[in-house]
C-alpha cells in the first residue's frame, strides 16, 4: 500500500502487518454487504453470530410492522395487527434487499453487543458514562441540554435493542426514504388516500425527531474539540464510536464493525489515526479485545501513516 500521487513512501514492517490485517478485514466486510441474508451461512463467526442475525432480522421486521400499522391506522381499520400479519414478511424481505439498510442494522446490533459485553465485563454503563455525566454537569447550558437529550435517547436505544426494535424515526434520512419507497411500491389493501396520509404522518414524525445518531455526532464534536483523549471507559460505547468516527475520518457504521474481532487491524489503525498513543490504544484493546495484544513495533506507527493506510482501505462504507 502506498500514499497517493508522487509522494510514495515505503511501508515499515508494522505498516505492512497492519495493511495485511486491514485487507483481510476488507474481505470480511465485503461478504457482509452483499448478503446479510448469507448471515445464515456464517453462524459461528462473531460478526455473524446467531444473536446478531436475530437482532438484524428483528429490526427489519419491526420497520415493516411500523409501516403496515401506519397504513392500517390511516385507513381506519379496526385491527392493524390482523392487517399487518400476512404482509409483514414480504415487506421486510423487500426492505432488506437494500444493503445499506442491512448494514445499518448490523452496525447497531454490534454496537449493542459491545455495550452489553462491557457492562458485564468492565461495569461500563451502556447509558450513562462518566463522559456523559460530565457533560450533564457542564456549566454551559447548551452542552448540558444536549447531554440530557442524549441520555434519554441512549436509554431508549438500549431498551429498543433489547426488544430488537428499530423506530423509523431514528433512521438516517436516506434509509428512511428507502423504507417508505419500498413500502409504497408494494402497498395494497387500502386506498391511495390512506397510503398518502400514512406516508405524510411518518415523514412529519421523522422530521420532528432529534435522532440519537445526530445527538451523538454533536456530542462527539463537543468532546473531541475539548481535547479529551478517546477512552471507551470514559465515554461509553455509543459516544466513543461517534468520536472515533469523527477523529479517524470513517463512517460510524464502519467503526462499529471495526470493534469485531475480525477487524482488529482496522480498529488499531483508527485509534492511532485519531491520535491515541501506543499505551492508550492498548488500553482500549484491553477493554474491547482483552485476548488480543498489539503487534510488535506498533509504537513506531505514526498517526499520519495510520490514516493513510485507512484511506487505502477498499471498504469506505457498508453495502
Amino acid at each position: 500500500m502506498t500514499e497517493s500521487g508522487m509522494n510514495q513512501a515505503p511501508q515499515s514492517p508494522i505498516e505492512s502487518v497492519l495493511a495485511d490485517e486491514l485487507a483481510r478485514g476488507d474481505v470480511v466486510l465485503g461478504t457482509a454487504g452483499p448478503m446479510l441474508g448469507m448471515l445464515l451461512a456464517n453462524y459461528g463467526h462473531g460478526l455473524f453470530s446467531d444473536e446478531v442475525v436475530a437482532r438484524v432480522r428483528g429490526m427489519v421486521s419491526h420497520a415493516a410492522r411500523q409501516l403496515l400499522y401506519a397504513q392500517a391506522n390511516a385507513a381506519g381499520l379496526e385491527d392493524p395487527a390482523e392487517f399487518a400479519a400476512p404482509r409483514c414478511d414480504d415487506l421486510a424481505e423487500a426492505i432488506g434487499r437494500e444493503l445499506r439498510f442491512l448494514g445499518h442494522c448490523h452496525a447497531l446490533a454490534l454496537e449493542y453487543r459491545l455495550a452489553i459485553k462491557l457492562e458485564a465485563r468492565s461495569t461500563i454503563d451502556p447509558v450513562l458514562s462518566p463522559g456523559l455525566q460530565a457533560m450533564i454537569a457542564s456549566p454551559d447550558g447548551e452542552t448540558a441540554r444536549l447531554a440530557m437529550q442524549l441520555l434519554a435517547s441512549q436509554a431508549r436505544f438500549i431498551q429498543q435493542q433489547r426488544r430488537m426494535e428499530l423506530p423509523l424515526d431514528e433512521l438516517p434520512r436516506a434509509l428512511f426514504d428507502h423504507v417508505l419507497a419500498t413500502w409504497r411500491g408494494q402497498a395494497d389493501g387500502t386506498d391511495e388516500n390512506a397510503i398518502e396520509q400514512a406516508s405524510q404522518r411518518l415523514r412529519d414524525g421523522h422530521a420532528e425527531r432529534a435522532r440519537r445518531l445526530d445527538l451523538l455526532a454533536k456530542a462527539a464534536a463537543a468532546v473531541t474539540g475539548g481535547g479529551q483523549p478517546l477512552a471507551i471507559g470514559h465515554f461509553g460505547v455509543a459516544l466513543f464510536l461517534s468520536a472515533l468516527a469523527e477523529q479517524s475520518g470513517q463512517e460510524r457504521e464502519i467503526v462499529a464493525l471495526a470493534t469485531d474481532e475480525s477487524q482488529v487491524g482496522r480498529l488499531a489503525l483508527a485509534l492511532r489515526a485519531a491520535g491515541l498513543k501506543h499505551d492508550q490504544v492498548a488500553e482500549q484493546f484491553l477493554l474491547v479485545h482483552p485476548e488480543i495484544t498489539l503487534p510488535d513495533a506498533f509504537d513506531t506507527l505514526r498517526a499520519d501513516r495510520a490514516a493513510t493506510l485507512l484511506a487505502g482501505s477498499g471498504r469506505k462504507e457498508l453495502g
Side-chain angles (χ1 to χ4, degrees), residues 70-148:
Q71 182 179 346
N73 286 328
L77 300 182
E78 292 185 3
D79 192 343
E82 182 180 7
F83 174 80
R87 297 170 173 83
C88 188
D89 287 349
D90 287 345
L91 180 55
E93 181 181 353
I95 290 171
R97 294 192 192 112
E98 171 55 52
L99 300 181
R100 286 302 305 268
F101 183 83
L102 285 182
H104 179 72
C105 294
H106 194 188
L108 294 178
L110 291 178
E111 175 185 347
Y112 174 76
R113 184 181 71 175
L114 179 60
I116 297 307
K117 278 186 178 179
L118 293 187
E119 180 183 31
R121 191 165 62 204
S122 305
T123 64
I124 297 174
D125 194 300
V127 175
L128 183 58
S129 65
L132 188 55
Q133 283 182 308
M135 290 183 68
I136 291 171
S138 170
D140 180 74
E142 186 174 345
T143 298
R145 282 191 296 273
L146 171 62
M148 288 300 296

Side-chain angles (χ1 to χ4, degrees), residues 16-41:
S16 296
V17 168
L18 289 169
D20 290 344
E21 184 64 34
L22 185 62
R24 284 191 288 271
D26 284 347
V27 172
V28 174
L29 292 187
T31 67
M35 278 295 287
L36 267 187
M38 283 185 64
L39 289 171
L40 295 174

Side-chain angles (χ1 to χ4, degrees), residues 8-313:
Q8 296 184 348
Q11 290 182 343
S12 67
I14 183 58
E15 290 174 8
S16 296
V17 168
L18 289 169
D20 290 344
E21 184 64 34
L22 185 62
R24 284 191 288 271
D26 284 347
V27 172
V28 174
L29 292 187
T31 67
M35 278 295 287
L36 267 187
M38 283 185 64
L39 289 171
L40 295 174
N42 287 280
Y43 284 163
H45 193 305
L47 193 62
F48 305 129
S49 67
D50 290 8
E51 175 199 351
V52 170
V53 172
R55 202 166 301 284
V56 170
R57 281 178 169 168
M59 283 186 272
V60 176
S61 294
H62 183 237
R65 284 198 306 277
Q66 291 170 82
L67 293 164
L68 293 168
Y69 272 60
Q71 182 179 346
N73 286 328
L77 300 182
E78 292 185 3
D79 192 343
E82 182 180 7
F83 174 80
R87 297 170 173 83
C88 188
D89 287 349
D90 287 345
L91 180 55
E93 181 181 353
I95 290 171
R97 294 192 192 112
E98 171 55 52
L99 300 181
R100 286 302 305 268
F101 183 83
L102 285 182
H104 179 72
C105 294
H106 194 188
L108 294 178
L110 291 178
E111 175 185 347
Y112 174 76
R113 184 181 71 175
L114 179 60
I116 297 307
K117 278 186 178 179
L118 293 187
E119 180 183 31
R121 191 165 62 204
S122 305
T123 64
I124 297 174
D125 194 300
V127 175
L128 183 58
S129 65
L132 188 55
Q133 283 182 308
M135 290 183 68
I136 291 171
S138 170
D140 180 74
E142 186 174 345
T143 298
R145 282 191 296 273
L146 171 62
M148 288 300 296
Q149 281 185 292
L150 180 53
L151 174 64
S153 185
Q154 182 65 17
R156 286 193 298 269
F157 169 75
I158 294 298
Q159 291 300 318
Q160 290 155 0
Q161 282 295 302
R162 285 180 179 144
R163 297 190 296 264
M164 302 185 184
E165 294 178 350
L166 177 58
L168 296 177
D169 290 349
E170 288 288 348
L171 287 173
R173 182 56 186 264
L175 297 182
F176 177 79
D177 289 342
H178 156 69
V179 297
L180 253 63
T182 302
W183 159 62
R184 296 194 63 155
Q186 64 178 63
D188 66 354
T190 61
D191 60 54
E192 183 62 30
N193 286 337
I195 294 170
E196 184 60 39
Q197 183 180 3
S199 178
Q200 189 58 53
R201 287 177 180 173
L202 290 167
R203 290 188 182 281
D204 289 345
H206 187 268
E208 295 167 1
R209 183 68 171 260
R211 282 172 286 282
R212 184 185 74 104
L213 293 179
D214 294 337
L215 294 172
L216 282 167
K218 291 178 182 178
V223 298
T224 55
Q228 174 71 41
L230 272 178
I232 198 167
H234 179 72
F235 289 124
V237 172
L239 188 50
F240 173 82
L241 293 179
S242 291
L244 181 55
E246 172 158 323
Q247 292 200 358
S248 64
Q250 298 185 96
E251 286 196 357
R252 188 182 190 276
E253 291 169 351
I254 290 288
V255 172
L257 266 68
T259 62
D260 183 77
E261 62 182 12
S262 68
Q263 304 294 316
V264 292
R266 189 181 308 276
L267 179 61
L269 287 169
L271 291 167
R272 188 68 188 95
L276 274 70
K277 296 181 174 23
H278 176 272
D279 59 339
Q280 293 171 325
V281 175
E283 288 175 4
Q284 308 319 304
F285 263 74
L286 186 61
L287 289 170
V288 179
H289 298 301
E291 72 287 354
I292 295 175
T293 57
L294 294 173
D296 292 340
F298 183 81
D299 57 345
T300 67
L301 177 67
R302 301 197 318 263
D304 65 320
R305 292 296 295 165
T308 297
L309 290 172
L310 273 181
S313 167

